[in-house]
Every structure is written in structure tokens, then in C-alpha cells.
Amino acid sequence: MTNTTLKKISEVLGLSISTISRALKNHPDISEKTKKKVVELAKALDYEPNASAIQLRTQHSKIFGLMVPTISNFFYDSFIASVEEESRKEGYSLIILQSSNNIDIENDNLKLCRQNRVTGLFACLSTGTKDMSSFLKMKELEIKTIFFDIVPEITGLNKVCMADASVGEIAAEAIIDANKKDILAIFGNANLSITKKRELSFKQYFNLKAPATKLSIEYARDIENATEIALEHLTKKKTVDTIFCMSDEILIGVMKAIQKLKLNIPADISIIAISNGFIPTLFYPPITYVETSGYKLGKLAFKQMMECLSNSGTEDLAIETTVESKLVKGGSL
């Protein structure tokens, strides 16, 4: 296939190259009739704009970067799908990067984004990230960054999150309404802001509404650790009547322990989780969960990105926005 140039299109139509260029960009100075002729011929000749030339001229590509700790996670999977849908509609491509919760890989990914002059970056931090200097370099190059899900605690940055405080409250309220008395609550990494917010609101709601409820708080590193924690409590503390799981990963680990002990849900033990919504449907009865939708978060993140780009050249307002959650009832509580 030949690489058709603007010059070829201009020769066929008898128009200047500048007119052809403006017509393809839908410039208001060009008549609709001329635009139509140019676009139809460009399509017929399979014309594609020179992306490298555009990048050199604008200092940015029509590419967004998106970095997550792991791609094999249903929350991040749905977030990626959501952002990709919106990017495609607006004529952008998406580079998907995985940090593997490794700070060195995270920094290499950021360097790759800078070298390719991505227009913007959607970034979920690795669990150990404390030094934000590599991310701040993006700002120096006018690369807009939207942090999502696991976000920095420092202010002055654009962030989109689930309404993590209300997530903890919704879960606590559901447990109290079910009249449960002895709760094992398994949270994720204790150092992350997302964990701190959910744990704080969870405990505060119990202190306010049901202070006599017995709460055992644990933190799981991964699926295997969640299984170990659940097994220890269920074999040593026969009084536990409910397990709260802060994530899908923790839910999977807990369910492995329950299946190993051959416990029945909800007759022997009740379960409630915070989830993107897919994992709870894999079990019977389906697990009751507080919805944290990666898809909805992706839509909000993209909307915020486009607002940042439309304000290019002006001072960033550093907006923090959230997506509300809701209780989805299964048969496990």
C-alpha cells in the first residue's frame, strides 16, 4: 500500500496543500462542500496523517498512557476497557503499562511515557511508591496526569477515586442490619490511603451504631495470606460469624479457606466484600458486596483528563473527584 501524501490529494482536486490540510482538520474557514470532497478522496486513497510529524509539531502524540500495578485484576481490567472506549471515540490510542508493584518498573514506564511525549497519563500507584519526583517530571513536560484508585496522599494533584469513606460505611451498615456480632475484617496494605480511609469509616460506623460488636482487624498481603488469616480465625475462634473482605483478591483467599473447611454460606459463616462485581457472582450463593466499579471510575477519569487538556496553558486546578458506591445483595450475609 502506497503512502498517499497531501500533495497527491491536492493535485487530484486542484487545491492547495494548506487547503487540503485544513479541510482534513475540519477547519471552519473551509466550506462543507470542499471538506466533503477532500475527506472522500482521502478515504479512497487510504490517506493517513504522519503521526511522527504531528508529534514533532505539537510536542505531543495522540496517545494516552495508562499504568496499573497489575493487569490481571478485574477492577483494573474494567477501568482499562472504559478508558480505551472513550479514548477511541476522541481519536486517541492507549499504551497500557504494568508496574507489577515494582518502583523501578514504575519509573521505567514513566520514562517511556515521557520519551513518547504521551498527551496524558492515567496512573495507579505501586503500593510502595513514596517519592513522587518521577511523576512530577511529567508536569514539567506538560503531560497531564490523572491518578486513580491508589493515589498519592499529597495535595495539588488530579485524582479520581471511589468514595472510599462511604464504601466502609455501607459495608458496616449491611453487617449491622444483618445483626452480626463477631466480625473478622480483612483489609489490604495498611500503608495505602485507600485502606486507611475504608478501615477508618468501617470502624467509626461500628463505634457509632453498634459499639458492642466484636471487630477483629487483619491485613492481607495477597490471596494466600488472606487464606491463612481466615483459616487461623475460623479454626481458633469458633465465634466468628462474618468475614468482611476489602477486595476481590482477599475475597478469593477467604473463599479458599471456607471451601477447605467445608463451611456453608451463610449458615456457618457470612461473607461481605468490596468488589468490582464479577468475582462475587462466581460463588453460590452469590456474595453480597459493595460495588466499586472500575468501569465507572474509568469514565470519570477520562472526563477529568479531557477537562485538563481543554484548560491547557492555564494553571491546573488539581481536582479530586469520586464515584459513589452501592450495596449489591447476594445470599451470603
Side-chain angles (χ1 to χ4, degrees):
M1 179 173 59
T2 59
N3 182 21
T4 308
T5 64
L6 292 179
K7 183 178 179 181
K8 178 66 175 177
I9 298 172
S10 72
E11 289 173 352
V12 173
L13 295 179
L15 299 170
S16 69
I17 291 178
S18 63
T19 298
I20 299 298
S21 179
R22 285 184 291 163
L24 290 171
K25 294 175 184 174
N26 197 26
H27 197 284
D29 289 347
I30 307 301
S31 70
E32 292 302 318
K33 182 179 178 180
T34 299
K35 288 179 188 176
K36 183 178 179 182
K37 286 196 300 183
V38 171
V39 170
E40 286 178 351
L41 181 58
K43 287 182 178 178
L45 296 175
D46 203 20
Y47 168 74
E48 294 181 0
N50 188 323
S52 297
I54 293 172
Q55 184 172 341
L56 285 170
R57 185 174 67 252
T58 63
Q59 296 300 307
H60 288 293
S61 62
K62 288 284 284 185
I63 298 172
F64 288 131
L66 192 159
M67 182 163 58
V68 292
T70 174
I71 294 172
S72 58
N73 174 299
F74 285 107
F75 181 84
Y76 297 139
D77 180 68
S78 59
F79 181 92
I80 291 168
S82 180
V83 172
E84 193 280 329
E85 282 179 11
E86 296 303 313
S87 297
R88 188 160 18 92
K89 289 177 187 176
E90 296 294 334
Y92 287 87
S93 298
L94 199 62
I95 296 178
I96 300 168
L97 304 161
Q98 180 174 260
S99 69
S100 301
N101 277 318
N102 182 303
I103 296 173
D104 290 334
I105 295 175
E106 182 176 76
N107 287 331
D108 287 342
N109 288 339
L110 291 173
K111 184 177 180 180
L112 180 66
C113 287
R114 292 194 298 270
Q115 289 173 339
N116 284 275
R117 287 294 193 272
V118 296
T119 301
L121 172 68
F122 301 91
C124 177
L125 297 182
S126 297
T127 53
T129 300
K130 291 185 174 65
D131 182 4
M132 296 298 296
S133 58
S134 291
F135 286 97
L136 296 177
K137 286 181 183 178
M138 309 292 278
K139 189 173 183 179
E140 293 173 9
L141 294 173
E142 297 184 357
I143 298 173
K144 305 296 184 182
T145 302
I146 306 294
F147 294 95
F148 69 95
D149 194 40
I150 301 175
V151 303
E153 294 191 38
I154 61 175
T155 57
L157 301 172
N158 284 289
K159 309 173 191 179
V160 293
C161 303
M162 301 306 301
D164 292 310
S166 66
V167 167
E169 290 180 1
I170 292 169
E173 182 180 28
I175 294 170
I176 292 170
D177 288 346
N179 199 33
K180 301 301 179 180
K181 304 299 182 184
D182 195 331
I183 319 302
L184 168 60
I186 307 179
F187 290 87
N189 189 313
N191 296 317
L192 296 180
S193 62
I194 186 173
T195 303
K196 293 175 183 177
K197 290 177 182 177
R198 292 178 178 182
E199 181 186 352
L200 179 63
S201 63
F202 185 81
K203 292 193 294 189
Q204 284 181 336
Y205 198 87
F206 272 103
N207 289 336
L208 180 65
K209 300 291 185 177
T213 304
K214 186 173 182 180
L215 290 180
S216 298
I217 305 295
E218 297 279 4
Y219 306 93
R221 297 183 301 276
D222 48 33
I223 291 174
E224 290 71 25
N225 192 213
T227 301
E228 293 168 2
I229 292 169
L231 283 172
E232 181 180 358
H233 279 263
L234 291 172
T235 53
K236 292 183 179 180
K237 292 178 60 182
K238 303 291 186 180
T239 58
V240 172
D241 57 33
T242 304
I243 301 179
F244 163 77
C245 308
M246 196 195 89
S247 67
D248 279 323
E249 188 178 45
I250 293 170
L251 173 61
I252 292 169
V254 167
M255 291 305 296
K256 287 175 70 175
I258 288 172
Q259 290 169 350
K260 182 174 182 177
L261 296 174
K262 298 180 179 179
L263 299 177
N264 293 315
I265 299 173
D268 299 324
I269 189 75
S270 294
I271 304 292
I272 182 171
I274 296 175
S275 174
N276 190 48
F278 176 70
I279 298 298
T281 65
L282 299 179
F283 301 100
Y284 187 83
I287 306 300
T288 295
Y289 67 94
V290 181
E291 180 193 63
T292 53
S293 171
Y295 190 82
K296 291 179 182 177
L297 192 67
K299 296 292 183 186
L300 181 61
F302 191 86
K303 179 174 181 288
Q304 191 158 321
M305 175 65 79
M306 297 311 288
E307 288 175 355
C308 286
L309 292 176
S310 68
N311 293 328
S312 184
T314 61
E315 188 67 25
D316 283 342
L317 297 177
I319 303 168
E320 296 187 32
T321 53
T322 58
V323 175
E324 293 300 324
S325 297
K326 63 180 180 180
L327 183 70
V328 179
K329 293 183 179 180
S332 65
L333 190 58

